[in-house]
Amino acid sequence: MATCTVFLFLIVFNLYAFGFEEKPLNFVQIGNKYGYKVEEIIVITEDGYILKLFHIISVKSVKTPVLLMHGITDSADTWIIRGNNSLSLTLAANGYDVWVGNCRGNKYGRKHIYLDPDSDDFWDFSFHEFGYYDLSAIIDTVLYLTGSKKINLLGHSQGNAICYVLTSTRPEYNNKINILIALAPICFLQNLQPPVSKIIEVSPKLDRIAKLLNLQEVFGDNSLIVNILRKYCRIPFIGYKTCILDLLFSLSGDDIDEFEPSFVSTFVDHFPVGTSEKDLVHFAQVSLRRKFANYDYGIQRNIEIYNLTEPMEYNLSAVNIKVALLVGANDKLSTIEDVALLRERLPNVVKYLVIPRRKMNHFDFVSGLHMEDYLFPYIFDILNTDTYTEN
């Protein structure tokens, strides 16, 4: 009993002691810190969401614009928090015209022209809207501001799924993208492992509980649970073991060498930063129904919305853009088996690569310590190959 009391005291003490951290730098401030000028551009979607788009200005930028799109509960920050070793700044340093987007619901997309972000209507979206509305508006903005006819798109995790949504539902956007470089591609979710598979199994029950509690926003940047998480994860030794070794690695695959203890504070300052409960449910439906399809509202509402009893599948055969699939052998979220299903369905896969690094997990693609060694050479090879990226 005494041991438990001492342990609880230490946790409370450390939560208090580490509770006075400075407010983390935003994307523009991080870019400035490393010597880059960054523009912040406001994008307004067709349905009224207000998103922040970042442009890293480089005097050497003469190449086709490169747009980076983040994964679930993430933001543009994921592409820059490793500083000069991050992908966005590495691309800029090599003369690429770099643009970094955000989807609605994260800390850079929590505004609307008339909806209150604390209202239920604001959070009535999933990854379908990320693709159909957000990505389309971002691409059009980049093309308008640069005068370019096409972009090169790099997506991490969900940042790939939204491209399949966009190009299958609005086929004209196939002509606006040279290539999608899909890092840790997410589409089919049929071969997940515990604990993710177990969470998905009980997701219908969790969804019912969330609706009873009227929980629309999850893992919000300023939410109580995220603030507690950030303070706890900073506790030396205990925080790293619990938050990274036990929690994050159990979900994404373990890779101690690429996620050092000193990176914990930076990581949790910028992840997670919010999405809708509906977004998580939609991905769970994709897994449970074994179909990459529209959101399932139930038979009655499906008839009202789709005039069908079941939501239609996204037509991946209509995704005509070139796609390069880069996969991690140790990725528990984007498994080799599920990416194989995606590869079979996409008509124009120009490159498929399992990264040779055996421990490559889901987050190594955006925040690994040595990305410049095991990942970036493949990305530059694709971007510099005319047969992959020519207009």
Side-chain angles (χ1 to χ4, degrees):
M1 183 67 181
T3 302
C4 291
T5 302
V6 171
F7 181 71
L8 289 172
F9 172 78
L10 289 173
I11 290 179
V12 172
F13 173 79
N14 278 287
L15 285 174
Y16 178 81
F18 289 90
F20 296 99
E21 65 277 359
E22 294 182 2
K23 186 176 181 179
L25 301 180
N26 61 32
F27 190 97
V28 173
Q29 292 168 332
I30 296 173
N32 294 162
K33 175 182 176 181
Y34 289 95
Y36 292 84
K37 183 179 179 181
V38 181
E39 287 182 308
E40 180 181 292
I41 295 131
I42 297 300
V43 175
I44 301 178
T45 68
E46 292 176 34
D47 57 344
Y49 284 81
I50 301 171
L51 314 173
K52 289 184 179 180
L53 169 68
F54 301 111
H55 178 212
I56 302 174
I57 299 173
S58 173
V59 294
K60 297 187 295 182
S61 296
V62 294
K63 302 178 181 180
T64 299
V66 177
L67 173 63
L68 310 179
M69 292 302 300
H70 61 79
I72 195 166
T73 72
D74 212 343
S75 76
D77 290 354
T78 197
W79 301 105
I80 200 170
I81 56 175
R82 277 292 186 182
N84 284 327
N85 292 329
S86 63
L87 181 57
S88 65
L89 297 187
T90 301
L91 286 168
N94 282 272
Y96 288 88
D97 188 19
V98 182
W99 301 75
V100 191
N102 290 284
C103 292
R104 64 187 66 190
N106 75 17
K107 65 179 183 178
Y108 296 125
R110 208 175 180 276
K111 291 183 179 180
H112 193 277
I113 57 175
Y114 60 85
L115 291 176
D116 186 331
D118 292 325
S119 70
D120 292 349
D121 288 342
F122 181 94
W123 297 99
D124 186 18
F125 59 78
S126 73
F127 66 79
H128 176 85
E129 284 74 18
F130 294 161
Y132 193 88
Y133 293 111
D134 297 355
L135 184 56
S136 61
I138 291 168
I139 289 174
D140 286 341
T141 299
V142 173
L143 295 181
Y144 174 77
L145 292 176
T146 62
S148 180
K149 294 181 179 179
K150 292 190 177 185
I151 63 160
N152 294 320
L153 178 61
L154 279 91
H156 175 243
S157 191
Q158 178 184 253
N160 304 300
I162 65 175
C163 183
Y164 312 139
V165 170
L166 174 61
T167 49
S168 64
T169 57
R170 306 178 78 163
E172 65 272 20
Y173 280 87
N174 283 285
N175 297 320
K176 299 182 181 184
I177 303 170
N178 274 325
I179 190 168
L180 167 65
I181 301 178
L183 309 178
I186 289 291
C187 185
F188 296 101
L189 298 166
Q190 300 175 17
N191 295 277
L192 299 173
Q193 306 170 28
V196 178
S197 60
K198 297 298 182 182
I199 295 171
I200 287 175
E201 284 178 16
V202 300
S203 62
K205 294 181 180 178
L206 297 175
D207 182 35
R208 287 194 290 272
I209 293 172
K211 285 180 169 55
L212 285 173
L213 298 174
N214 196 33
L215 179 64
Q216 302 290 334
E217 178 184 11
V218 292
F219 302 121
D221 186 46
N222 291 317
S223 64
L224 177 62
I225 185 65
V226 169
N227 281 318
I228 292 174
L229 179 71
R230 285 172 179 160
K231 290 178 172 60
Y232 179 83
C233 293
R234 282 186 169 83
I235 301 174
F237 308 113
I238 296 175
Y240 181 69
K241 182 182 186 306
T242 305
C243 298
I244 308 304
L245 303 186
D246 295 341
L247 179 57
L248 187 70
F249 284 174
S250 71
L251 301 174
S252 67
D254 67 288
D255 193 355
I256 295 175
D257 293 337
E258 291 304 302
F259 199 118
E260 71 281 19
S262 61
F263 185 59
V264 173
S265 291
T266 299
F267 182 79
V268 299
D269 271 344
H270 300 274
F271 180 88
V273 288
T275 191
S276 67
E277 192 261 347
K278 185 177 180 180
D279 187 29
L280 299 179
V281 171
H282 196 174
F283 275 115
Q285 291 178 354
V286 168
S287 180
L288 292 171
R289 299 180 69 241
R290 302 175 75 83
K291 295 178 180 179
F292 186 59
N294 281 258
Y295 189 87
D296 187 355
Y297 292 93
I299 294 176
Q300 184 174 343
R301 284 209 64 199
N302 285 343
I303 294 174
E304 295 172 2
I305 295 172
Y306 308 124
N307 200 28
L308 296 167
T309 57
E310 291 189 358
M312 62 287 263
E313 291 186 60
Y314 295 107
N315 181 16
L316 292 177
S317 63
V319 180
N320 294 318
I321 57 173
K322 301 183 187 75
V323 180
L325 302 170
L326 275 60
V327 191
N330 189 38
D331 191 335
K332 289 187 176 182
L333 295 175
S334 174
T335 66
I336 290 177
E337 295 82 3
D338 283 333
V339 177
L341 295 173
L342 174 62
R343 185 184 185 188
E344 291 174 3
R345 299 283 295 277
L346 291 174
N348 200 6
V349 175
V350 295
K351 188 177 184 65
Y352 170 83
L353 174 69
V354 178
I355 302 297
R357 190 171 194 282
R358 184 177 59 85
K359 299 291 286 183
M360 188 81 174
N361 73 10
H362 201 67
F363 285 95
D364 286 345
F365 285 93
V366 286
S367 57
L369 179 60
H370 302 101
M371 291 182 290
E372 71 277 13
D373 296 327
Y374 61 75
L375 177 63
F376 293 174
Y378 299 110
I379 293 174
F380 281 111
D381 178 63
I382 294 168
L383 290 174
N384 293 331
T385 302
D386 290 340
T387 55
Y388 292 159
T389 59
E390 61 186 358
N391 286 308

